[in-house]
């Protein structure tokens, strides 16, 4: 069963939008709700609202924005989006949302990570400086640790994925590649559901 849905693209990417539409058509979303969170909400709030409705299929009354506060119910889905993982992680910790998200996901909520939100599923974001810069000088790079490993966003070539992973293979038990134009689905056991080439375990492969 899908627990994490990840993409390195933004909400306007045509390929990922079509793929997400197909994925969510299979889900039974009647009476299901979704909360979306972005550290750039002033520019993405309306876009995310439309995306959750027209692409994912949620009814408007079941779509919540963190800008309106934490909902009283535990959402069935949470969508995290941002342009920089360091900035998004800093935003979540400053706004006291980090522990809240860990709580709801550990209690049944499905996590959807777009853009910067994809990398936060792993142990930390110490390895992603190849695509994001730590402009906010965030010191605590601990991520949600939903999967035991390192999530590498914006890796579109399998050889580049393995090259980056092998450089820090002693630090993580598993690596996940999240390309720009492909949706990655991971179950609650940390297994990639739709294509195993986006998953690498150094201690098994080597």
């Amino acid at each position: 069963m899908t627990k994490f849905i990840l993409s390195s693209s933004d909400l306007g990417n045509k390929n990922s939008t079509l793929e997400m539409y197909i994925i969510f058509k299979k889900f039974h979303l009647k009476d299901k709700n979704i909360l979306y969170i972005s550290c750039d909400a002033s520019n993405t709030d309306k876009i995310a609202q439309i995306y959750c409705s027209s692409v994912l299929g949620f009814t408007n009354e079941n779509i919540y924005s963190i800008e309106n506060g934490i909902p009283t119910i535990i959402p069935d889905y949470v969508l995290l989006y941002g342009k920089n993982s360091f900035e998004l992680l800093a935003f979540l910790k400053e706004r006291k949302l980090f522990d809240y998200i860990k709580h709801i996901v550990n209690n049944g909520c499905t996590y959807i990570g777009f853009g910067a939100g994809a990398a936060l599923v792993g142990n930390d974001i110490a390895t992603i400086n190849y695509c994001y810069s730590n402009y906010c000088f965030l010191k605590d790079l601990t991520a949600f640790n939903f999967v035991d490993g390192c999530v590498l966003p914006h890796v579109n070539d399998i050889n580049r994925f393995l090259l980056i992973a092998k450089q820090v293979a002693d630090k993580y038990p598993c690596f996940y590649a999240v390309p720009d134009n492909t949706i990655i689905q991971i179950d609650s056991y940390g297994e990639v559901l739709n294509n195993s080439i986006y998953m690498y375990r150094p201690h098994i492969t080597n």
Side-chain angles (χ1 to χ4, degrees), residues 27-176:
F27 297 161
H28 301 287
L29 297 178
K30 185 179 180 181
D31 300 324
K32 300 293 185 181
N33 50 69
I34 185 169
L35 168 67
Y36 61 86
I37 301 172
S38 172
C39 59
D40 188 27
S42 60
N43 294 326
T44 61
D45 197 77
K46 186 175 181 180
I47 295 173
Q49 175 82 24
I50 295 172
Y51 187 91
C52 290
S53 174
S54 61
V55 177
L56 303 186
F58 292 91
T59 58
N60 288 328
E61 60 267 25
N62 289 332
I63 301 172
Y64 298 86
S65 168
I66 199 61
E67 292 303 297
N68 297 322
I70 294 175
T72 56
I73 48 87
I74 293 180
D76 300 295
Y77 296 83
V78 60
L79 189 157
L80 265 71
Y81 170 71
K83 296 180 180 178
N84 183 302
S85 293
F86 296 101
E87 293 176 0
L88 180 58
L89 185 58
F91 170 82
L92 296 174
K93 292 183 176 181
E94 289 168 3
R95 294 277 294 267
K96 312 297 184 185
L97 294 171
F98 184 82
D99 289 337
Y100 166 73
I101 294 169
K102 287 195 73 169
H103 171 72
I104 61 175
V105 172
N106 287 333
N107 283 275
C109 180
T110 298
Y111 181 103
I112 306 169
F114 263 78
L120 302 189
V121 170
N123 300 141
D124 58 49
I125 56 172
T127 310
I128 64 168
N129 53 9
Y130 64 89
C131 62
Y132 295 122
S133 297
N134 190 1
Y135 295 120
C136 56
F137 302 104
L138 183 66
K139 293 181 179 180
D140 183 4
L141 303 181
T142 305
F144 290 123
N145 200 27
F146 291 140
V147 297
D148 188 14
C150 177
V151 177
L152 300 173
H154 302 292
V155 178
N156 299 310
D157 178 79
I158 187 65
N159 292 321
R160 186 181 183 216
F161 170 44
L162 294 175
L163 177 64
I164 296 171
K166 288 178 179 179
Q167 290 175 346
V168 288
D170 59 325
K171 297 181 179 180
Y172 306 96
C174 186
F175 294 85
Y176 301 85

